[in-house]
């Protein structure tokens, strides 16, 4: 089930099966499963089961294919296995959607969501480079994270019908992720929002009420 680039043509199913291989110690499988459950279930509730399943399968296969290309370019075999590695794309997607959140790792170390996304990509690069024996091979395995960034920021708008309604637990899900791709349009929208906020604040000041009054 492990993805090994020299055997891709005779084991094509390994494009999708390598996340099911337990890497190293049993604790890796346990913590990888818990992390996938936490991040994956959050995305599944927000997007729907079918879109999330397609997202996970697509990013897994894409990572395999780009690693295969990397093996041809660098002349070394690419090796992919382990659930932790497969959580790269879901983690990046979750961090982009919840960019204002802070994760407390091991109940001790607080890490902002954007920093967690970069740490996840760094872990992916290091892990693949180590197993493949080439420092540049890890760069080819970052395609899943790049695809997650594209899907959250732009791809969802192309396939809006596939996504289930956003879950209510994401209070600012629409505002955070439905911003237009055009930077000028985003600037104009923020400008209009500031004007509306200023008008509402002015109306509140003239009302005679204060924050303590109901």
């Amino acid at each position: 089930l492990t993805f090994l680039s020299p055997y891709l043509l005779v084991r094509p199913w390994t494009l999708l099966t390598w996340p099911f291989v337990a890497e190293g110690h049993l604790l890796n499988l346990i913590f990888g499963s818990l992390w996938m459950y936490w991040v994956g279930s959050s995305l599944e509730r927000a997007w729907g089961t079918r879109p999330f399943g397609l997202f996970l399968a697509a990013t897994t296969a894409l990572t395999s294919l780009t690693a295969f290309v990397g093996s041809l370019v660098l002349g070394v075999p690419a090796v992919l296995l382990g659930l932790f590695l497969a959580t790269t794309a879901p983690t990046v997607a979750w961090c982009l959607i919840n960019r204002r959140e802070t994760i407390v790792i091991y109940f001790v170390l607080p890490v902002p969501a954007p920093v967690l996304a970069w740490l996840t990509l760094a872990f992916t690069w290091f892990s693949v480079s180590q197993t493949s024996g080439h420092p540049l091979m890890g760069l080819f395995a970052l395609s899943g994270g790049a695809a997650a960034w594209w899907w959250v920021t732009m791809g969802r708008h192309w396939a809006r019908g596939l996504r289930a309604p956003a879950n209510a637990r994401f209070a600012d899900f629409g505002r955070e992720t439905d911003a237009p791709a055009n930077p000028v349009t985003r600037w104009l929208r923020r400008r209009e929002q500031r004007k509306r906020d200023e008008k509402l604040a002015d109306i509140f000041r003239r009302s005679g009420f204060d924050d303590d009054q109901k």
Side-chain angles (χ1 to χ4, degrees), residues 58-79:
T59 53
T60 299
L62 180 62
T63 302
S64 305
L65 291 174
T66 54
F68 177 73
V69 173
S71 69
L72 297 179
V73 173
L74 301 175
V76 296
V79 183

